[in-house]
Amino acid sequence: MKRTATIKDVAGRAGVSTATVSHAINGTRPVGSALRERVRQAVEELGYRPNQVARSLRRKGSGAIGVILIDDTNPFFSESTRGVRDAALEAGYNILVCNSEGDAERENGFVELLAERRVEGIILFNVRDSRLRETVRRRLAVPIVLVDRDGRSRRMDSVVVDHYSGGAEAVEHLLALGHRRIGVITGPANSTPSLLRFRAYVHSLQRAGLAFDERLVLRGDFQSESGYDAAQSLMSSPDPPTALFAFNDLMAFGAITALCGMGLRVPEDVSVVGYDDIQLSSFFNPPLTTVSQPKKAMGRAAFALLRERIADERMPTRSVTMSARLVVRRSTAAAAAFGRGC
Ligand code: RIB
């Protein structure tokens, strides 16, 4: 039986080191075009992982793209990045994922790093710092696709979700269950998705003829702890809500844990809705009613836009809008007839 070619065989045939073969294939360091061609020929002659490798060697670029996200502890980002990764690998691209933790300096450091790695394009997930976008544009002059931020005003391609409709669906679900005092735990002030969900909340209350009460609104930061703290203070008020809408699942988990600690049952005493529909949501106790974002599809769409932009940088700017949809599970129920606050 024929032995499968290894990277050593390729290096031997091309007369270069294995490191050079690896850099030529993965685009991790610049490799001169003559060397690159020798590696490509050796790969072809030896049939070394032909599909993915040959594809990346045929391209002029490095065969790598960068992804910058702000929180790799939040499954929303890892699940969305999975979509990018699957599509990228299918197309023979490698991806370099950087987690900035929302820190502008780190973000800029990663931009430098990605520049050194000669990425062909960058996908920015939910990056809030506008300086970063400008930096990326100036320093790298590579295509950029924004995810979860509308890029049209900056003439950048983007993938967005209709957060207004998603937020409205969540609030209308609670209204239909008879809830009249609905507390919300928002995201950070500079988050556009959070702002759109909040707008939908206010408008849905208006449409139902309910007065807006600012005491029912607390700001979180998309982390569980902030959901925990917000739920505790909302439920400690003299006229507490009968339902909570947390603007992401992690905060909803924090809120449910706080309610449980206060001796309140979900959904019998308080209903809770989240946003994102991360995989854990269906395994939480109780399984979480939440607004589902098409995370993998967003990642795939972002990669498709990036690839097209790499191929033709003069193409008109495009923005793909995807829908969010409510998934009703067991954390919401009809408001109790004589429940607190009714
Ligand atoms: O969980 C992270 C949140 O931040 C998501 O809802 C996403 O839409 C982003 O804005």
Side-chain angles (χ1 to χ4, degrees), residues 16-303:
V16 297
S17 68
T18 51
T20 304
V21 175
S22 164
H23 292 315
I25 289 170
N26 300 313
T28 40
R29 290 268 163 80
V31 173
S33 54
L35 278 190
R36 196 174 161 78
E37 179 53 24
R38 265 167 42 202
V39 172
R40 191 194 64 75
Q41 260 183 20
V43 164
E44 240 170 54
E45 286 165 15
L46 295 169
Y48 175 65
R49 286 172 61 217
N51 291 335
Q52 192 181 341
V53 173
R55 254 197 309 246
S56 80
L57 286 169
R58 267 201 303 273
R59 275 195 306 264
K60 280 195 249 110
S62 63
I65 61 154
V67 174
I68 301 180
L69 42 87
I70 60 169
D71 182 5
D72 65 0
T73 65
N74 182 339
F76 167 81
F77 295 106
S78 36
E79 290 175 26
S80 310
T81 302
R82 178 92 186 262
V84 178
R85 199 195 61 196
D86 289 351
L89 290 181
E90 278 162 28
Y93 278 83
N94 289 302
I95 77 167
L96 303 168
V97 182
C98 307
N99 173 35
S100 70
E101 290 171 25
D103 177 281
E105 248 172 55
R106 279 177 73 119
E107 280 162 2
N108 284 320
F110 285 133
V111 170
E112 302 271 0
L113 182 82
L114 292 172
E116 278 166 22
R117 299 283 170 104
R118 294 170 48 248
V119 294
E120 291 185 39
I122 295 181
I123 294 177
L124 295 182
F125 264 95
N126 194 341
V127 171
R128 296 195 194 112
D129 184 71
S130 54
R131 279 174 307 168
L132 171 68
R133 295 177 201 153
E134 294 314 318
T135 315
V136 171
R137 222 210 287 258
R138 263 203 329 270
R139 292 201 190 152
L140 292 177
V142 293
I144 295 173
V145 173
L146 303 179
V147 183
D148 221 14
R149 287 289 175 282
D150 193 335
R152 279 173 297 188
S153 62
R154 291 188 157 83
R155 287 192 289 138
M156 292 164 98
D157 298 322
S158 51
V159 176
V160 289
V161 170
D162 184 351
H163 294 298
Y164 182 90
S165 302
E169 268 201 66
V171 179
E172 276 152 24
H173 168 65
L174 293 171
L175 290 169
L177 289 171
H179 294 282
R180 293 295 172 263
R181 286 189 68 69
I182 301 171
V184 289
I185 307 171
T186 74
N190 58 358
S191 157
T192 310
S194 172
L195 192 75
L196 293 169
R197 292 166 205 172
F198 182 66
R199 239 179 240 163
Y201 164 74
V202 174
H203 292 164
S204 300
L205 292 186
Q206 275 169 0
R207 277 195 296 274
L210 296 173
F212 170 71
D213 182 348
E214 63 180 13
R215 290 168 303 176
L216 290 175
V217 181
L218 282 186
R219 183 177 298 155
D221 61 4
F222 286 140
Q223 302 287 337
S224 299
E225 204 175 337
S226 67
Y228 184 97
D229 293 343
Q232 265 195 339
S233 49
L234 284 165
M235 298 314 297
S236 310
S237 74
D239 191 6
T242 62
L244 296 178
F245 175 22
F247 284 7
N248 81 342
D249 289 352
L250 291 186
M251 294 195 297
F253 296 159
I256 291 174
T257 305
L259 296 171
C260 196
M262 296 171 90
L264 294 164
R265 295 163 307 158
V266 177
E268 293 85 349
D269 300 320
V270 187
S271 284
V272 178
V273 181
Y275 204 107
D276 287 351
D277 192 22
I278 56 176
Q279 274 171 18
L280 272 178
S281 299
S282 37
F283 298 98
F284 203 72
N285 187 18
L288 188 68
T289 295
T290 183
V291 180
S292 183
Q293 301 210 57
K295 296 166 289 301
K296 276 194 200 153
M298 288 158 67
R300 280 189 169 273
F303 179 74

